[in-house]
Amino acid sequence: MARVVAVSLNPALDLSIGVEALALGEVNRSHASRLDAAGKGNNVARVLAALGHDVAVTGFLGEANQGAFERAFAAWGVRDAFVRVPGETRVNVKVSEQDGRVTDLNGRGAEVSAQALAELEQVLKDEAAGCDAVVVSGSLPPGVSADRFGELLRAVKARGVALWVDTSGPALAAALKCAPTAVKPNEHELSEWAGAPLEGIEALRRAARALNDEGVANAFITLGGDGVLLSTSQGQWRARPPRVSVVSTVCAGDTFVAAALHGELGGWPVDETLRFATALSAEAVRHVGVGETTAADFEVLKTNCVLQQLTDGQPAGEWPA
Ligand SMILES: Nc1ncnc2c1ncn2[C@@H]1O[C@H](COP(=O)(O)OP(=O)(O)OP(=O)(O)O)[C@@H](O)[C@H]1O
Ligand SMILES: O=P(O)(O)OC[C@@]1(O)O[C@H](CO)[C@@H](O)[C@@H]1O
């Protein structure tokens, strides 16, 4: 069991709504809805705690609707180290249609003051000392600039702890200046960082290698139903998930991050880590919420993932059978 700190600077209550097919500008009748304490870092924390790790969660939480989070943290068995800020934590709406399409409506988040930021910096410094990894996931709330975000990450890095970051846009660019241990952009986030569209696996491989050149040890590029590309200084791998029936892809990326970190913390071989993380994230898309390690067919999902080590200087080519 490892000690991990999961950071959500901009957590959210996820309002997940299931509809047959969304009709814009019309009255839609949902067949299911639920409200969950979420946000990328909290989702990662939930999976890591379920996998047996000692997890603390932090970031900024609005005082006005903190109850749902406090109940969830107690149920997940994670320690609450969130800094409270005035106002409400945002509610993000996720509309899932029968064909697997998901529409996200994400809010900006509660305003964070300079004082709250300084408080969080201290929490991060204290929590990072003596833990095995810090995972920082999601967007920046109003009041936190990309530069200030970079400073927070540097403070964590200075504690000599493994730093995993899953964010996008200017926040990802700021994070990369601190050479995090791992990042997990999806295809779109990577091409935004690269400043050009990335067509095909070879372009993705080059861009992923550029992340390694920036000092990132593990660059995981998630590709939705097409799986993941992992680039390290030791080589590149890709993994393809089994075909599953898609209900909601909302927490798949966070499940992937938590599962990959679990493998890394356990010192697993790369292929074992990739298979586990790919299978668990595929499990996650079969329902609303994060992946369930206790799924009855989890071993089958793992067996049905396809893995391939890619050879430097040679095209990836077709997937092995
Ligand atoms: N349709 C799918 N079928 C099977 N597995 C999937 C599917 N979509 C996603 N996954 C799994 O989840 C992983 C992460 O998915 P994705 O690339 O959508 O992450 P993301 O865009 O970062 O998501 P998030 O918005 O949660 O951060 C993929 O690498 C894959 O293993
Ligand atoms: O607006 P952000 O911070 O980029 O993403 C927030 C969010 O979409 O990410 C999680 C899924 O990954 C959800 O729980 C949450 O609503």
Side-chain angles (χ1 to χ4, degrees):
M1 185 210 270
R3 271 192 58 200
V4 182
V5 179
V7 186
S8 300
L9 297 181
N10 205 6
L13 285 170
D14 280 358
L15 175 60
S16 307
I17 299 176
V19 295
E20 179 68 37
L22 184 64
L24 293 179
E26 310 247 336
V27 174
N28 290 262
R29 303 280 173 194
S30 62
H31 56 73
S33 69
R34 54 186 264 190
L35 192 64
D36 292 292
K40 290 194 192 320
N42 287 334
N43 297 335
V44 170
R46 186 174 186 174
V47 177
L48 285 169
L51 289 168
H53 297 286
D54 175 357
V55 184
V57 286
T58 189
F60 303 106
L61 212 51
E63 278 165 350
N65 56 353
Q66 59 184 309
F69 288 93
E70 290 172 345
R71 285 190 293 278
F73 297 154
W76 304 341
V78 303
R79 190 163 48 80
D80 178 2
F82 268 92
V83 171
R84 279 16 183 211
V85 295
E88 288 192 336
T89 294
R90 64 189 170 149
V91 176
N92 288 347
V93 180
K94 318 284 176 183
V95 182
S96 305
E97 295 170 75
Q98 213 66 52
D99 65 359
R101 184 171 78 156
V102 179
T103 303
D104 287 62
L105 288 164
N106 286 5
R108 289 183 72 230
E111 182 78 33
V112 172
S113 66
Q115 192 195 326
L117 250 167
E119 223 180 294
L120 180 75
E121 185 160 7
Q122 194 52 52
V123 170
L124 283 176
K125 285 176 179 168
D126 294 345
E127 291 288 342
C131 82
D132 299 291
V134 174
V135 192
V136 184
S137 298
S139 58
L140 305 183
V144 182
S145 66
D147 284 348
R148 191 71 179 90
F149 179 59
E151 281 172 25
L152 292 179
L153 296 185
R154 267 188 291 282
V156 171
K157 234 352 238 320
R159 297 294 190 267
V161 63
L163 173 63
W164 284 46
V165 182
D166 177 13
T167 187
S168 56
L172 175 60
L176 288 170
K177 290 190 188 137
C178 316
T181 317
V183 294
K184 189 221 66 71
N186 63 28
E187 212 172 337
H188 309 292
E189 293 161 350
L190 183 64
S191 65
E192 193 183 359
W193 172 74
L198 300 171
E199 301 290 345
I201 182 77
E202 298 312 320
L204 290 167
R205 288 178 73 185
R206 279 191 297 276
R209 215 172 277 118
L211 290 175
N212 299 140
D213 295 342
E214 297 277 321
V216 175
N218 298 297
F220 295 96
I221 317 302
T222 54
L223 310 168
D226 291 333
V228 64
L229 168 69
L230 167 62
S231 190
T232 78
S233 55
Q234 277 80 52
Q236 295 188 318
W237 291 260
R238 62 177 173 173
R240 195 180 63 187
R243 222 178 273 287
V244 292
S245 160
V246 180
V247 171
S248 170
T249 52
V250 171
C251 294
D254 308 328
T255 299
F256 185 93
V257 169
L261 179 57
H262 177 65
E264 188 76 6
L265 290 168
W268 296 1
V270 172
D271 54 348
E272 208 178 310
T273 296
L274 270 184
R275 187 178 292 281
F276 180 78
T278 302
L280 194 56
S281 52
E283 200 298 308
V285 307
R286 302 191 299 185
H287 51 80
V288 172
V290 298
E292 304 276 356
T293 40
T294 51
D297 62 346
F298 187 56
E299 287 305 314
V300 179
L301 289 176
K302 271 170 49 181
T303 305
N304 290 337
C305 291
V306 181
L307 264 73
Q308 185 187 24
Q309 179 161 15
L310 305 174
T311 310
D312 240 17
Q314 276 183 29
E318 293 300 308
W319 277 100

